[in-house]
Coordinates of all heavy atoms in Angstrom, one line a residue:
N1412 N -13.9 66.1 -92.7 CA -13.5 65.5 -91.5 C -14.1 64.1 -91.2 O -13.9 63.5 -90.2 CB -13.8 66.4 -90.3 CG -13.0 67.6 -90.2 OD1 -11.8 67.6 -89.8 ND2 -13.5 68.7 -90.7
G1413 N -14.7 63.6 -92.3 CA -15.3 62.2 -92.2 C -16.5 62.1 -91.4 O -16.8 61.0 -90.8
H1414 N -17.4 63.1 -91.3 CA -18.6 63.1 -90.6 C -19.8 63.2 -91.5 O -19.6 63.5 -92.7 CB -18.6 64.2 -89.5 CG -17.4 64.2 -88.6 ND1 -17.1 63.1 -87.8 CD2 -16.5 65.1 -88.4 CE1 -16.0 63.4 -87.1 NE2 -15.6 64.6 -87.4
L1415 N -21.0 63.0 -91.0 CA -22.2 63.1 -91.8 C -23.1 64.3 -91.3 O -23.0 64.7 -90.2 CB -23.0 61.8 -91.6 CG -22.5 60.5 -92.2 CD1 -23.3 59.4 -91.9 CD2 -22.4 60.7 -93.8
L1416 N -23.8 64.8 -92.3 CA -24.7 65.9 -92.0 C -26.1 65.6 -92.5 O -26.3 65.1 -93.6 CB -24.2 67.2 -92.7 CG -25.0 68.5 -92.4 CD1 -24.1 69.7 -92.4 CD2 -26.1 68.7 -93.5
I1417 N -27.1 65.8 -91.6 CA -28.5 65.6 -91.9 C -29.3 66.8 -91.6 O -29.0 67.5 -90.6 CB -29.1 64.4 -91.1 CG1 -28.3 63.1 -91.4 CG2 -30.6 64.2 -91.3 CD1 -28.7 62.0 -90.5
R1418 N -30.2 67.2 -92.5 CA -31.0 68.4 -92.3 C -32.4 68.1 -92.0 O -33.0 67.2 -92.5 CB -30.9 69.3 -93.6 CG -29.5 69.9 -93.9 CD -29.6 70.8 -95.1 NE -28.3 71.5 -95.3 CZ -27.3 71.0 -96.0 NH1 -27.4 69.8 -96.5 NH2 -26.1 71.7 -96.1
H1419 N -33.0 68.9 -91.1 CA -34.4 68.8 -90.7 C -35.0 70.1 -90.5 O -34.4 71.0 -89.8 CB -34.5 67.9 -89.4 CG -35.9 67.7 -88.9 ND1 -36.8 66.9 -89.6 CD2 -36.5 68.3 -87.9 CE1 -37.9 66.9 -88.9 NE2 -37.8 67.7 -87.9
A1420 N -36.2 70.4 -91.1 CA -36.9 71.6 -90.9 C -38.0 71.4 -89.8 O -38.6 70.3 -89.8 CB -37.5 72.1 -92.2
T1421 N -38.3 72.4 -89.0 CA -39.2 72.2 -87.9 C -40.6 71.9 -88.4 O -41.5 71.4 -87.7 CB -39.3 73.4 -87.0 OG1 -39.5 74.6 -87.9 CG2 -37.9 73.6 -86.3
G1422 N -40.9 72.2 -89.7 CA -42.2 71.9 -90.2 C -42.3 70.4 -90.7 O -43.5 70.0 -91.1
Q1423 N -41.3 69.7 -90.7 CA -41.3 68.3 -91.1 C -41.6 67.3 -90.0 O -41.5 67.7 -88.8 CB -39.9 67.9 -91.7 CG -39.6 68.6 -93.0 CD -38.2 68.3 -93.5 OE1 -37.3 68.1 -92.7 NE2 -38.0 68.2 -94.8
R1424 N -42.0 66.1 -90.3 CA -42.3 65.1 -89.3 C -41.0 64.7 -88.6 O -40.0 64.4 -89.3 CB -43.0 63.9 -89.9 CG -44.4 64.3 -90.5 CD -45.0 63.0 -91.1 NE -45.2 62.0 -90.1 CZ -45.0 60.7 -90.4 NH1 -44.6 60.3 -91.6 NH2 -45.3 59.8 -89.5
P1425 N -41.0 64.6 -87.3 CA -39.7 64.2 -86.6 C -39.3 62.7 -87.0 O -38.1 62.4 -86.9 CB -40.1 64.3 -85.1 CG -41.6 64.3 -85.1 CD -42.0 64.9 -86.3
E1426 N -40.3 61.9 -87.4 CA -39.9 60.5 -87.8 C -38.9 60.5 -88.9 O -38.1 59.6 -89.0 CB -41.2 59.7 -88.1 CG -42.1 59.4 -87.0 CD -43.1 60.5 -86.7 OE1 -42.9 61.6 -87.2 OE2 -44.0 60.3 -85.9
E1427 N -39.0 61.5 -89.8 CA -38.1 61.5 -91.0 C -36.7 61.7 -90.6 O -35.8 61.0 -91.0 CB -38.5 62.6 -91.9 CG -40.0 62.5 -92.5 CD -40.3 63.7 -93.4 OE1 -39.4 64.5 -93.7 OE2 -41.5 63.8 -93.7
A1428 N -36.4 62.6 -89.6 CA -35.1 62.8 -89.1 C -34.6 61.6 -88.3 O -33.4 61.2 -88.4 CB -35.0 64.1 -88.3
L1429 N -35.5 61.0 -87.5 CA -35.0 59.9 -86.7 C -34.7 58.7 -87.6 O -33.7 57.9 -87.3 CB -36.1 59.5 -85.7 CG -35.8 58.4 -84.7 CD1 -34.6 58.9 -83.8 CD2 -37.0 58.1 -83.8
L1430 N -35.5 58.5 -88.6 CA -35.1 57.4 -89.6 C -33.8 57.6 -90.2 O -33.0 56.7 -90.4 CB -36.2 57.3 -90.7 CG -37.5 56.6 -90.3 CD1 -38.6 56.8 -91.3 CD2 -37.3 55.1 -90.1
A1431 N -33.5 58.8 -90.6 CA -32.2 59.1 -91.2 C -31.0 58.9 -90.2 O -30.0 58.4 -90.5 CB -32.2 60.6 -91.8
L1432 N -31.3 59.4 -89.0 CA -30.2 59.2 -87.9 C -30.0 57.7 -87.7 O -28.8 57.2 -87.6 CB -30.7 59.9 -86.6 CG -30.6 61.4 -86.6 CD1 -31.3 61.9 -85.3 CD2 -29.1 61.8 -86.6
H1433 N -31.1 56.9 -87.6 CA -30.9 55.5 -87.3 C -30.2 54.8 -88.4 O -29.4 53.9 -88.2 CB -32.3 54.9 -87.0 CG -32.3 53.5 -86.7 ND1 -32.5 52.5 -87.6 CD2 -32.0 52.8 -85.5 CE1 -32.4 51.3 -87.0 NE2 -32.1 51.5 -85.7
A1434 N -30.6 55.2 -89.6 CA -29.9 54.5 -90.8 C -28.4 54.8 -90.8 O -27.6 54.0 -91.0 CB -30.5 55.0 -92.1

Side-chain angles (χ1 to χ4, degrees):
N1412 288 281
H1414 306 301
L1415 291 175
L1416 184 146
I1417 298 172
R1418 292 183 173 88
H1419 178 73
T1421 55
Q1423 296 175 321
R1424 298 176 60 218
E1426 290 86 350
E1427 298 176 13
L1429 187 60
L1430 282 168
L1432 284 171
H1433 181 261

